[in-house]
């Protein structure tokens, strides 16, 4: 069997497992979890003191629930302790990944070939379930890195290359006008990018009257606000497929074409949604995502606290048994806090603010319980300031005093992200 045959067989197995029974899916996941835990406990110094996992370990067992969480700090301060002394050649070679850095120190996390293939296959399942036309051009607007291997066509690699669409890689910091120019004249195209770039592209297209057809946009890496979804629909006729993903966890959950809720990729990871009291969130309740990537043999992360908050989902009616996330609530450091209230993302309208200001170099920061600061680059007229102030007053209920602070520049993060809100009183996640 060639590598391509194996990849195709794996996709077919994922299309079967997502419609298996809940018991079958649990058994599948448990086998992988058992192997990963054994590997981590036996081969890595970080977990060496842990008691050996019992046979039949599952993500709902008392043994698993008693395992302590790990955090980004554990990895940044103690990376070498996560490196396994050995692992099976079946996992292939190790490649380092640098994660984040925008909200704390950059962390390293290694990935094996097998885990990288697993992540790809989660994308292939998404292409399949959304019925994407794999002959169309796909524009990938991301932070490009020198050492990154780049495929110039996309779609299932076992298909005839002549039937697969071109994949064009463009750095996310490219001005929106130039991004739009690159896509022009090709008929309908697909896009894969971050929500902040979807916002920039949509605003620029609407401002200049640029007509482009982008039937599907895959959104990754940041919180996707509802108004950004609407802006892309209005600018390009786009449907956005939101993939809940991170460098540490990979593709963790993908929107369902039937219901729009997010299916957890349970064949590849254990995703727990944990409330502040430590209990698992029930449908409709919000909690922090604690993730265990099941093929993470190079840097085993058992119960990694992600800093991402989500609302636990109901069972989906589409026939897939994969558990669901109802919606993404945001990252902790972007949420505003008030005594006695659960932290939440301020419900600012990014599209409206961007249209008012004319660019996206701005940030709303909560400095303390009652104070917030609107930081912006460039200049604002009195009427712009007034419009922004009125919007903030309307959405934040006038609870917070606001001030405007001009800053020299607000560059994108090292990963090409744009954060529009910040809880400046909150430390980066531990
Ligand atoms: Zn579904």
């Amino acid at each position: 069997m060639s590598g391509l045959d194996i990849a195709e067989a794996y996709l077919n197995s994922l299309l079967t497992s997502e419609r298996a029974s809940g018991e079958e899916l649990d058994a599948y996941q448990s086998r992988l979890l058992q192997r990963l835990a054994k590997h981590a406990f036996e081969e890595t110094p970080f977990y060496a003191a842990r008691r050996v996992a019992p046979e039949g370990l599952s993500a709902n067992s008392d043994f698993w629930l008693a395992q302590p969480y790990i955090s980004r700090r554990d990895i940044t301060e103690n990376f070498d302790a996560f490196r396994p002394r050995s692992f099976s050649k079946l996992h292939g070679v190790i490649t380092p990944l640098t994660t984040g850095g925008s909200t704390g120190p950059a962390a390293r996390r290694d990935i094996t070939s097998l885990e990288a293939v697993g992540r790809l296959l989660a994308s292939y399942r998404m292409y399949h379930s959304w019925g994407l036309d794999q002959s169309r051009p796909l524009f990938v607007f991301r932070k490009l890195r020198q050492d990154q291997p780049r495929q110039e066509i996309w779609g299932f690699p076992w298909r005839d290359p002549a039937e697969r669409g071109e994949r064009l890689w463009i750095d996310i910091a490219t001005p929106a006008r130039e991004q739009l120019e690159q896509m022009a004249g090709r008929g309908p195209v697909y896009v894969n990018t971050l929500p902040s770039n979807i916002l920039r592209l949509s605003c620029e297209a609407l401002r200049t009257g640029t007509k482009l057809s982008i039937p599907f946009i895959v959104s990754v890496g940041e919180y996707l606000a509802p108004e950004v979804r609407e802006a892309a629909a209005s600018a390009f006729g786009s449907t956005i497929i939101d993939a809940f993903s991170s460098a540490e966890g990979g593709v963790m959950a993908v929107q369902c074409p039937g219901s729009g809720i997010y299916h957890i990729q349970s064949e590849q990871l254990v995703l727990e949604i944990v409330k502040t009291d430590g209990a698992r969130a029930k449908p409709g309740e919000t909690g922090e995502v604690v993730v265990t990537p099941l093929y993470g043999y190079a840097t085993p992360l058992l119960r990694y606290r992600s800093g991402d908050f989500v609302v636990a989902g109901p069972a989906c009616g589409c026939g897939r048994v994969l558990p669901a996330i109802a919606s993404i609530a945001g990252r902790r450091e972007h949420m505003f806090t008030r005594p006695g209230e659960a932290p939440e993302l301020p419900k600012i309208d990014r599209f409206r603010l961007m249209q008012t200001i004319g660019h996206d170099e701005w940030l709303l920061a909560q400095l303390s319980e009652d104070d917030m600061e609107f930081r912006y680059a460039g200049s604002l007229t009195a009427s712009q300031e007034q419009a922004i102030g009125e919007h903030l007053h309307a959405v934040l209920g006038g609870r917070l005093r606001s001030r405007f602070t001009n800053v020299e520049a607000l560059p994108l993060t090292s990963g090409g992200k744009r954060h529009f809100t910040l809880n400046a009183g909150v430390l980066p996640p531990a």
Side-chain angles (χ1 to χ4, degrees):
M1 240 183 157
S2 76
L4 294 183
D5 291 332
I6 293 170
E8 185 174 9
Y10 184 39
L11 175 62
N12 288 328
S13 105
L14 291 177
L15 296 176
T16 304
S17 55
E18 69 180 10
R19 292 175 190 277
S21 70
E23 294 73 33
E24 285 168 321
L25 187 65
D26 284 348
Y28 182 121
Q29 189 185 59
S30 293
R31 278 196 301 277
L32 293 173
L33 184 61
Q34 174 96 43
R35 278 184 216 147
L36 174 73
K38 182 172 189 303
H39 164 77
F41 294 177
E42 291 178 359
E43 301 292 344
T44 62
F46 185 84
Y47 300 103
R50 305 264 182 110
R51 196 160 55 82
V52 177
E55 288 299 315
L57 173 64
S58 89
N60 295 316
S61 63
D62 292 341
F63 180 86
W64 184 251
L65 295 173
Q67 297 300 306
Y69 301 125
I70 59 167
S71 67
R72 172 180 282 254
R73 181 177 295 168
D74 290 319
I75 313 173
T76 49
E77 289 181 355
N78 214 356
F79 179 74
D80 283 341
F82 285 88
R83 303 173 86 150
R85 282 178 283 268
S86 70
F87 61 90
S88 160
K89 285 196 171 54
L90 284 173
H91 292 270
V93 298
I94 288 182
T95 310
L97 280 182
T98 308
T99 75
S102 55
T103 52
R108 182 170 159 192
R109 190 265 206 238
D110 287 348
I111 185 167
T112 67
S113 314
L114 188 62
E115 186 175 18
V117 168
R119 290 179 174 198
L120 273 178
L121 264 294
S123 302
Y124 296 168
R125 173 156 68 182
M126 174 176 69
Y127 302 161
H128 176 89
S129 62
W130 284 85
L132 300 191
D133 175 353
Q134 296 180 24
S135 70
R136 290 212 166 128
L138 170 67
F139 283 82
V140 181
F141 299 108
R142 303 283 275 276
K143 175 69 188 173
L144 300 187
R145 298 180 201 284
Q146 293 293 327
D147 56 348
Q148 193 179 31
R150 290 182 205 137
Q151 298 281 335
E152 298 195 344
I153 50 176
W154 70 287
F156 301 156
W158 51 87
R159 285 198 178 164
D160 181 352
E163 293 169 9
R164 294 167 60 199
E166 205 181 343
R167 171 158 27 196
L168 301 104
W169 299 82
I170 295 172
D171 194 274
I172 196 163
T174 305
R177 179 178 51 79
E178 287 174 39
Q179 294 185 40
L180 294 174
E181 283 167 7
Q182 299 269 0
M183 291 189 281
R186 292 174 169 272
V189 300
Y190 295 153
V191 164
N192 174 313
T193 194
L194 279 58
S196 55
N197 193 44
I198 300 173
L199 179 63
R200 287 193 292 276
L201 289 171
S202 304
C203 286
E204 181 65 9
L206 292 168
R207 187 183 72 79
T208 55
T210 305
K211 299 278 180 241
L212 278 179
S213 168
I214 311 178
F216 287 105
I217 300 178
V218 177
S219 154
V220 295
E222 289 174 340
Y223 169 74
L224 173 67
E227 66 273 16
V228 174
R229 205 184 269 281
E230 287 164 22
S234 131
F236 309 116
S238 303
T239 297
I240 296 187
I241 308 169
D242 193 21
F244 175 57
S245 59
S246 73
E248 292 90 349
V251 181
M252 293 182 280
V254 177
Q255 274 200 301
C256 175
S259 65
I261 64 176
Y262 296 72
H263 282 297
I264 296 168
Q265 305 296 293
S266 296
E267 298 95 335
Q268 300 190 347
L269 45 91
V270 172
L271 190 149
E272 304 170 65
I273 305 172
V274 180
K275 295 192 291 182
T276 39
D277 65 4
R280 293 235 179 117
K282 295 188 184 69
E285 292 180 335
T286 302
E288 182 175 4
V289 168
V290 171
V291 66
T292 305
L294 292 167
Y295 292 97
Y297 279 59
T299 308
L301 302 178
L302 305 188
R303 306 195 90 199
Y304 176 76
R305 284 185 68 157
S306 68
D308 288 302
F309 286 74
V310 301
V311 179
C316 188
C318 69
R320 292 176 184 85
V321 70
L322 302 173
I325 290 170
S327 61
I328 311 296
R331 289 190 62 78
R332 181 72 181 82
E333 64 270 22
H334 301 150
M335 295 179 173
F336 283 17
T337 45
R338 294 280 293 178
E341 292 175 21
E344 62 171 14
L345 283 184
K347 291 188 174 57
I348 54 166
D349 186 326
R350 291 158 181 73
F351 177 68
R352 181 168 166 174
L353 287 168
M354 177 121 171
Q355 289 215 311
T356 303
I357 300 160
H359 60 77
D360 71 337
E361 284 193 63
W362 52 267
L363 168 75
L364 181 67
Q366 183 181 25
L367 305 181
S368 69
E369 203 178 295
D370 303 315
D371 272 325
M372 62 182 175
E373 181 177 66
F374 190 86
R375 298 176 192 156
Y376 64 95
S379 57
L380 292 177
T381 64
S383 66
Q384 281 174 314
E385 230 176 78
Q386 190 185 349
I388 297 163
E390 281 169 6
H391 177 62
L392 299 183
H393 185 86
V395 295
L396 293 161
R399 300 171 309 180
L400 295 161
R401 286 192 300 275
S402 59
R403 78 173 82 126
F404 288 78
T405 304
N406 181 237
V407 295
E408 197 165 316
L410 284 168
L412 300 180
T413 70
S414 58
K417 296 186 183 186
R418 161 73 67 209
H419 302 309
F420 290 110
T421 63
L422 172 72
N423 192 324
V426 176
L427 293 172

